[in-house]
Amino acid sequence: MWPNKKRRCRLIREYYILIVIASSAVAILADFILQFYGDYLSFTDLVESIIGASALCSVIYIFICFMIKRDEIQQLTKDLGLFEEFLPTHLIAETEETAKFYTKIFIGYGIVGNILYGCLPLLTYRDCVEHRSKHMVKYGIPCGPVTRYVLPFSHDWYPLAQLIMVEELFVTSLGTIIVLSITMLICGILTHTSANLEHLKRKILEISDIEDTKVAEHVNWCVKYHTAIISFSDRTNNAFSEMMLVHITWTSFIISVLGIEIIMDDNVFNSFRFAMHLGGWLGMLFLICFYGQTLMDISTDISKAVYETEWYTKAPTIRKSLVLILLRSQKPLVLRAAGLKVMSLATFLGVSKLKT
């Protein structure tokens, strides 16, 4: 998804992804709408269509936001190198390893989850064939796929039905990789910002032990460091705020309908795969909110660190610089969802309650 020298190849790839995901969303929406025009109307089937279409629409929204802000986000990742002036190399390496570790865990969860999500409907294949609805027969919808498509032609015959199953598994995997990659990129950037704030906090606490001849230089270094972190955090917020909107709107809606589907569906395999789907959305929301909360807490801890120093024994010019750091750090650094909601643990609890 990063820019490359071959702009034409990049555009082809982007439009290909959008067309593939959008066409799948349209096919699912067609199934949802046409259910109202038939003799057979199932509440669980309607909810299942809503789940699939909503998930793909959220992927499209996040992907478009990322494409719009892509150059800005790429510059952000490059500018992480600017903190090498302040943060020791070993701490940068440790932070990067931590970010990579959790990224691998969630990418692995996404891969395993997609495999199970695609295979579990096959376990109910025979039951689906025996109780196939009139709606599925009328529009040629086969048993076994992740979700139901309505296409301009019947696709319940071999080998087209099997090809559709593979295509649906590909689309779900593609959407999962896109959302997880962007989510973990945000978490990685927030992790690096928090690590820099922790290092700044330690450096501020060292002010009391520094010789008077060197304290002015050290305080100026802290001011410069703090300013760089604030600027980087503001740019991060500008780059990702629109994407965060999906986590407090679509996510709350999706987890609500997933909860309904888990409770209402009589098939234990369907309930299990929807529970995995629910866990994935809640997991991504929790990660964003957790790292957002961590950023808020550490950024305000800077003011406590300033207050704990022996600032009262320092020269007036030094006290003035420390007061400026203290005043600015009393306003927490935050990640907002389109300027509306702060991504924090309070937001996570608020969104989670909506599903109940």
Side-chain angles (χ1 to χ4, degrees):
M1 294 184 290
W2 289 123
N4 53 48
K5 295 180 180 179
K6 297 181 179 180
R7 178 177 174 80
R8 180 177 297 180
C9 294
R10 189 187 76 194
L11 290 174
I12 292 173
R13 184 173 63 249
E14 292 172 5
Y15 282 113
Y16 168 75
I17 292 173
L18 286 175
I19 290 172
V20 167
I21 297 177
S23 59
S24 297
V26 170
I28 297 172
L29 286 172
D31 175 73
F32 173 77
I33 295 171
L34 290 174
Q35 287 185 60
F36 290 96
Y37 293 92
D39 298 330
Y40 173 83
L41 186 63
S42 170
F43 179 75
T44 55
D45 289 348
L46 288 172
V47 173
E48 185 176 344
S49 297
I50 293 174
I51 292 170
S54 299
L56 291 181
C57 287
S58 65
V59 172
I60 293 171
Y61 173 81
I62 292 175
F63 185 75
I64 291 175
C65 289
F66 185 87
M67 291 301 104
I68 294 173
K69 296 282 188 175
R70 180 183 47 207
D71 294 330
E72 185 176 342
I73 295 169
Q74 187 186 31
Q75 189 60 47
L76 269 177
T77 59
K78 289 182 179 179
D79 289 347
L80 284 171
L82 299 177
F83 289 107
E84 293 178 1
E85 176 185 351
F86 306 99
L87 191 65
T89 305
H90 73 277
L91 291 179
I92 295 176
E94 290 176 6
T95 305
E96 186 66 22
E97 287 300 317
T98 301
K100 287 181 179 179
F101 174 74
Y102 288 110
T103 299
K104 291 176 182 178
I105 288 178
F106 269 83
I107 293 294
Y109 175 86
I111 293 172
V112 174
N114 274 296
I115 293 173
L116 291 176
Y117 203 78
C119 293
L120 283 174
L122 297 176
L123 298 178
T124 61
Y125 181 82
R126 182 172 297 179
D127 181 69
C128 174
V129 172
E130 293 176 354
H131 302 89
R132 197 175 175 206
S133 66
K134 294 180 180 178
H135 173 77
M136 295 178 68
V137 174
K138 180 178 179 180
Y139 294 102
I141 303 172
C143 292
V146 174
T147 188
R148 290 184 305 276
Y149 280 2
V150 169
L151 301 175
F153 48 85
S154 175
H155 56 284
D156 57 349
W157 47 275
Y158 177 86
L160 184 58
Q162 286 68 31
L163 291 175
I164 293 296
M165 293 179 192
V166 173
E167 188 272 343
E168 289 190 12
L169 185 59
F170 169 75
V171 171
T172 55
S173 300
L174 179 62
T176 301
I177 290 172
I178 289 173
V179 175
L180 278 177
S181 298
I182 294 174
T183 300
M184 296 314 299
L185 174 62
I186 299 169
C187 292
I189 291 176
L190 294 179
T191 300
H192 278 281
T193 307
S194 298
N196 280 283
L197 285 168
E198 282 282 8
H199 185 62
L200 173 62
K201 179 181 174 181
R202 289 192 293 268
K203 288 298 182 181
I204 289 174
L205 291 173
E206 292 176 1
I207 291 175
S208 300
D209 303 324
I210 296 177
E211 299 176 3
D212 291 342
T213 56
K214 298 181 179 180
V215 70
E217 181 182 353
H218 186 83
V219 170
N220 289 335
W221 182 90
C222 290
V223 171
K224 183 180 178 182
Y225 193 9
H226 193 216
T227 302
I229 295 172
I230 292 171
S231 175
F232 186 82
S233 178
D234 291 341
R235 290 169 56 203
T236 301
N237 189 54
N238 292 333
F240 293 106
S241 62
E242 286 80 8
M243 298 181 209
M244 294 301 97
L245 188 62
V246 75
H247 285 286
I248 60 172
T249 53
W250 258 310
T251 299
S252 59
F253 172 74
I254 289 174
I255 63 178
S256 297
V257 293
L258 278 169
I260 295 172
E261 186 70 12
I262 292 169
I263 296 172
M264 298 293 294
D265 203 312
D266 296 330
N267 191 303
V268 65
F269 295 109
N270 284 338
S271 296
F272 178 73
R273 70 189 182 100
F274 287 129
M276 289 187 62
H277 194 163
L278 176 62
W281 279 102
L282 285 175
M284 287 189 294
L285 176 63
F286 175 77
L287 274 178
I288 293 291
C289 291
F290 174 78
Y291 284 108
Q293 184 70 52
T294 301
L295 179 67
M296 291 174 58
D297 295 340
I298 297 178
S299 63
T300 52
D301 283 346
I302 299 298
S303 62
K304 299 176 184 178
V306 172
Y307 187 75
E308 290 174 4
T309 63
E310 296 178 0
W311 52 269
Y312 45 85
T313 64
K314 308 303 177 184
T317 54
I318 295 175
R319 290 203 300 267
K320 181 179 179 181
S321 298
L322 290 175
V323 167
L324 291 174
I325 295 177
L326 187 146
L327 290 174
R328 179 58 185 87
S329 58
Q330 288 178 337
K331 180 182 178 181
L333 300 178
V334 297
L335 177 65
R336 292 184 179 274
L340 301 176
K341 198 81 171 179
V342 174
M343 304 307 293
S344 63
L345 292 179
T347 299
F348 174 76
L349 292 175
V351 173
S352 299
K353 285 181 180 179
L354 291 176
K355 72 183 179 69
T356 59

